[in-house]
Amino acid sequence: MSALTFTVPGMTCGHCEAAVKGEVGKVAGVADVAVDLGSKLVTVSGEGLDEAAIVAAIDEAGFEVVS
């Protein structure tokens, strides 16, 4: 299993967390999504993760990934 971490500064509340988890959880290969609102990080674990698809899912949830 591998993991990818993304910085998503726009997340501020539980609703933000739920939206991101819901969209990212739909991406093929994703086994777990952890959101840390304090550090603004989203960590995605799974097999054969597609980084572009995860970034697109975060965008679909209404948030932007920054480097």
Side-chain angles (χ1 to χ4, degrees), residues 13-49:
C13 64
H15 180 267
C16 300
E17 179 179 355
V20 169
K21 282 184 170 183
E23 288 300 324
V24 175
K26 296 176 187 176
V27 176
V30 172
D32 185 57
V33 181
V35 174
D36 184 332
L37 293 175
S39 63
K40 309 296 186 192
L41 295 177
V42 176
T43 302
V44 182
S45 303
E47 294 295 334
L49 297 175

